């Protein structure tokens, strides 16, 4: 399987499909859709492009597989969103407007 021109193993492909972020770019609320139930409590870390932790903690479950993250206090810019459930860890890029 390939993603953006990179060859992925089956495990990497499953991780790529495990998490969806929207809207992107985000203004205040970022939603995380988990395509399989998380193994444990969901932990979310927002990092700037230099790797500095901007926000860390859990995300609020709003409906089924959808979690909400308040981004209103995060300054505008590009960020990496690291999501972990104890079994998996996925990093996605997002833009805060």
């Amino acid at each position: 399987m390939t993603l953006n021109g990179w060859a992925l193993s089956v495990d990497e492909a499953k991780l790529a499909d495990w998490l969806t972020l929207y809207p992107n770019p985000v203004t205040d609320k970022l939603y995380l859709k988990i395509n399989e139930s998380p193994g444990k409590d969901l932990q979310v870390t927002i990092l700037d492009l230099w790797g500095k932790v901007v926000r860390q903690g859990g995300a609020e479950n709003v409906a089924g597989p959808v979690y909400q993250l308040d981004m209103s206090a995060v300054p505008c810019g590009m960020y990496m969103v690291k999501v972990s459930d104890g079994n998996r860890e996925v990093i996605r890029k997002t833009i805060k407007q």
Side-chain angles (χ1 to χ4, degrees):
M1 171 176 233
T2 62
L3 178 68
N4 296 332
W6 293 90
L8 301 174
S9 70
V10 173
D11 288 339
E12 288 172 319
K14 285 179 73 174
L15 279 177
D17 293 337
W18 181 66
L19 173 69
T20 304
L21 300 180
Y22 63 91
N24 195 4
V26 59
T27 53
D28 57 352
K29 304 289 185 202
L30 181 65
Y31 295 93
L32 298 79
K33 182 178 179 202
I34 309 297
N35 295 317
E36 290 180 25
S37 62
K40 294 182 182 178
D41 292 333
L42 207 60
Q43 292 298 310
V44 181
T45 305
I46 307 294
L47 304 142
D48 67 16
L49 294 181
W50 293 272
K52 179 182 170 196
V53 175
V54 175
R55 184 183 188 284
Q56 190 168 10
E60 179 186 352
N61 185 251
V62 290
V66 179
Y67 292 78
Q68 175 180 285
L69 188 63
D70 185 6
M71 296 281 287
S72 59
V74 175
C76 294
M78 186 178 293
Y79 295 93
M80 304 305 287
V81 180
K82 181 168 73 169
V83 180
S84 173
D85 71 348
N87 297 323
R88 298 164 274 226
E89 183 176 276
V90 176
I91 299 174
R92 294 278 188 271
K93 211 172 8 176
T94 191
I95 297 171
K96 168 69 182 345
Q97 290 186 329

